[in-house]
Structures are given as C-alpha cells and as structure tokens.
Amino acid sequence: MPVPHVPGGAGWMRPLPGTSLTVSALCLGGGPLGSMPELFGEDVSPERGISTVLAALRSDVRFVDTSNGYSGGESERRIGAALTAHGGLPADVVVATKVDPEGSDYSGERVRRSVDESRRRLGLDHLPLVHLHDPERHEFDDLTAPDGAVEALVELRESGAVGAIGLAGGRVQEMARYLALGVFDVLLVHNRWTLVDRSADALVAEARARGMGVLNAAVLGGGVLAHQEGGPTTYGYRPAPPEVLDAVARMRAVCAAHGTDLRTAALQVSLRDDRFTSTIVGMSRPERVAQTLAAAATPLPQELFDELATLLPPSRTWLDAPFDA
C-alpha cells in the first residue's frame, strides 16, 4: 500500500476536518516568499518568490499558506502575481491566509480590513480559510470582546465572506484559551511540534477531539533542523539553549547513521503523524519545491524515528514563552 505522504500517492490529498476543503499533505509556506531576511537570513527578490509559487502550482503541492502581515503583504502580492501568471487559481488548489493587526490595532474593524486587503492582493474573490494570526501577542479580553477580532472573524464566516476560520499561533497556553472558545474550525501550530519540541501535543489532541483540522508549520524550527551541518543556532527565531543544540547534534549523527539527513527526518516526522492533515514548509526558491517533495517520498525506517524520539530534549520555560516572531 502506498505511503500517504508520498506525493501523488494514495492519501496525498486529504479532507481537512472541520471544513469542506481538500488539501495536500505538504503545503507551501509563504513566510519567506515576500522576503523577511531578519527571520530567514536572506533577501528574496519578487521574481524568485513568484517563481517559487509557480513551481508549487506545477507540482503535487495543492495547498498554499500565507498571511496578511508577511513582509507587509508582499507574500500575498507575490502569490497573487503567480496565480495571474499561471492563468488563475487551479480548481484543486487551496490558498489560506491569516488576518493580522495593524500596529497595535487588532479590532474587529481591523480584521475586516485585513480580509479585504488579502483578497485584493491575492486576486481572489473568496478566501476559503482564514486564520486568526498570533493572538497570543495581544490581550485575550480585547480580542474576545464584543466586535473584537474573534467575533468579526466568526461573522465573516457566517456571512459567507470567508470560508472556514482557523487559529494560528505559537504559545500553547494562550492558544488553549482561544481553542476553548469553540468557534474555530482549524488549528495551526508553529514551532511547537518538531523533532525537538512536542509542547503542542495536548493542544493538538484537544483540537482533534473537537473535530478540528490541524496544520503543522515551521517543522524545521526556523532553520536549525534544515541543515545536516552548520546552519543557524536559533530555534523559532530565538537563540536555542545548549540542550536543544546538543539534541540537534545527536540527531544529525543518528540521521547520518541511517543514511539520511536531519531536514528529511524533520519533515517526515510531521508527515507521518496522521493528526496533521498538512505540514507547512516555508520555501523561497523554486528548486526547493522538488527537493522537499523528494524528501517527503524518501523511504525511511520507523527505527530512525524511534531512536530520534529518545533524544527529545526536556521541556523548559523558554519553549513556553512567547516567540519574538
């Protein structure tokens, strides 16, 4: 029987629980597409960003994730330009985005403007999935107040202005408060379920128990898990503590012993978990699309992942603190 995470194979396309959408097991993450060198370490030209999206549209990737706030909207603009160059949105491709505040303004009115901005940049009349983005950086009471961000997003769904609505963020304690509201269809976690961090385990289990779809993003930890040698020493866009870097070094050795690399294992550990409908991987080079699909299809033994699980570093306060990005 074909492995579900093999591109184009049985199970590669799957229903996203909590919605009427069908998405691919791998999703193109739009974070680096608009050029955020302060987070991803390099500038990305408009041409390269657009070419990356076009490469995805011509591949087995049928799901694209972005956000209103990525590079001041540049990620959405480049995705929109790629869709135009491609001749429009393919019928089997889902583009999801997120609402973002403007400065400190995360009001209901700001959410409505955010959706309108995203619609114009992407060139889409209807947004099938819109997430509330990183609400943990704002006051819970403000975002959940009457005519606040949460209520506005719910109303946009109920009016048909958007399709499903999701909750996307990092700090699990705050995310759990929003999840408990019972109004979201989808949960997106980032940097919280990877080879070196499983702090989102309980949150993911709760979302699945509620019948929600779950998306797993930033499985490379912002880059530290993307390199078999060298690379950044940050995790989730902040300096990683020694025990995490030690675990990464040990995991690299285990991967090498099994004839593979850390990036492939970091991708597949998420793809192999059937709680995650799709794994979101940020890409900013067209060749990275084919490379990531090839990594998804690489045969790896379960023994590798069993051994890697024994190297998971202990949870610490830094993992629960809000991310800076």
Side-chain angles (χ1 to χ4, degrees), residues 9 35 82 122 198 201 204-205:
S35 191
L122 293 167
R198 304 293 167 84
D201 251 333
V204 169

Side-chain angles (χ1 to χ4, degrees), residues 29-33 36-42 65 70 98 133-134 136-137 169-171 188-192 194 196-197 216-226 232-241 244-245 280-283 318-319 321-325:
L33 276 176
M36 288 197 282
E38 69 279 8
L39 293 186
F40 300 105
E42 61 176 352
D65 171 82
Y70 288 163
K98 308 175 189 76
H133 195 198
D134 288 342
E136 68 268 29
R137 300 181 193 175
R171 192 181 183 214
L188 185 158
V189 294
H190 66 75
N191 292 292
R192 289 300 200 260
T194 71
V196 296
D197 181 4
N216 194 19
V219 296
L220 303 178
V224 70
L225 300 175
T233 57
T234 56
Y235 180 87
Y237 322 115
R238 61 170 53 187
V244 170
L245 296 178
I280 302 170
V281 180
M283 303 181 214
W318 81 279
L319 294 173
F323 281 109
D324 294 330

Side-chain angles (χ1 to χ4, degrees), residues 68-127:
N68 179 286
Y70 288 163
S71 306
E74 189 61 19
S75 174
E76 290 182 330
R77 279 188 285 270
R78 294 178 183 185
I79 292 169
L83 292 174
T84 297
H86 190 73
L89 179 71
D92 61 344
V93 171
V94 172
V95 176
T97 192
K98 308 175 189 76
V99 293
D100 278 295
E102 187 172 51
S104 62
D105 180 7
Y106 215 162
S107 63
E109 180 54 35
R110 170 56 200 157
V111 164
R112 289 184 279 271
R113 290 200 311 273
S114 181
V115 166
D116 286 340
E117 291 163 3
S118 295
R119 197 183 283 125
R120 288 195 299 272
R121 292 174 190 145
L122 293 167
L124 300 176
D125 293 331
H126 185 260
L127 302 177

Side-chain angles (χ1 to χ4, degrees), residues 52 226-227 263 281-293:
T52 302
H227 302 274
R263 183 187 188 97
V281 180
M283 303 181 214
S284 59
R285 296 177 181 273
E287 62 269 24
R288 186 64 73 190
V289 176
Q291 291 167 357
T292 305
L293 288 168

